[in-house]
Amino acid sequence: QVQLAESGGDSVQAGGSLTLSCAMSGLSGNNYCLGWFRVTPTEEREGIASFYTGRMNPYYVDSVKGRFTISQDSAKSTMYLQMNSLKPEDTAIYFCAAGVPRDTYKLCPPLSAVFNSWGQGTQVTVSS
């Protein structure tokens, strides 16, 4: 059973940085989609970054491209989201997610339908 647990959420000033961590267990092998999503105060869910574990070629949504970086440690037990140049509109609850790719090309876009295991979320608040 896949289990995910986020940590690292905090309150920061605009322009600051945070790194979120996602402790992962129950993943066997190297055939997974991993990603980060967020739910805004207006309850909008947005997939922001994702990748296939078999190749590190991540997707980023335009709103975070160039500011956020998704990565995984060498032991493949922790996933990270490095967030720089934070803006008030980045305020949200951030969730990490895992799933098994459903297509031949192992595409893992940051879409909810691709992922079936979720963490409990961690709050990020960015003040102006």
Side-chain angles (χ1 to χ4, degrees), residues 2-3 5 12 22-23 36 38 44 51 54 59 65 69 72 82 85-86 88-89 100 103-105 115 123:
V2 176
Q3 292 187 320
V12 297
C22 176
W36 287 93
R38 65 187 179 188
E44 176 186 356
F51 67 98
Y59 289 89
K65 200 172 294 184
T69 303
Q72 186 180 20
Q82 173 67 43
S85 302
L86 283 162
E89 51 263 43
V100 177
D103 64 292
T104 304
Y105 299 102
F115 299 85
Q123 176 71 47

Side-chain angles (χ1 to χ4, degrees), residues 5-23:
E6 305 90 341
S7 62
D10 205 345
S11 297
V12 297
Q13 295 283 331
S17 298
L18 275 178
T19 299
L20 304 183
S21 299
C22 176

Side-chain angles (χ1 to χ4, degrees), residues 29-84:
N30 196 32
N31 187 41
Y32 290 94
C33 298
L34 298 178
W36 287 93
F37 291 74
R38 65 187 179 188
V39 176
T40 67
T42 57
E43 299 188 352
E44 176 186 356
R45 178 190 290 260
E46 181 181 37
I48 57 176
S50 60
F51 67 98
Y52 172 58
T53 55
R55 61 176 178 269
M56 195 57 188
N57 187 26
Y59 289 89
Y60 294 99
V61 68
D62 286 347
S63 60
V64 307
K65 200 172 294 184
R67 300 188 298 123
F68 291 11
T69 303
I70 190 171
S71 64
Q72 186 180 20
D73 70 345
S74 58
K76 300 187 178 179
S77 61
T78 306
M79 178 172 54
Y80 301 98
L81 185 69
Q82 173 67 43
M83 305 186 294
N84 298 324

Side-chain angles (χ1 to χ4, degrees), residues 84-115:
N84 298 324
S85 302
L86 283 162
K87 304 175 182 180
E89 51 263 43
D90 294 319
T91 295
I93 301 174
Y94 284 72
F95 297 85
C96 59
V100 177
R102 303 180 182 187
D103 64 292
T104 304
Y105 299 102
K106 312 292 189 184
L107 299 176
C108 294
L111 302 174
S112 295
V114 175
F115 299 85

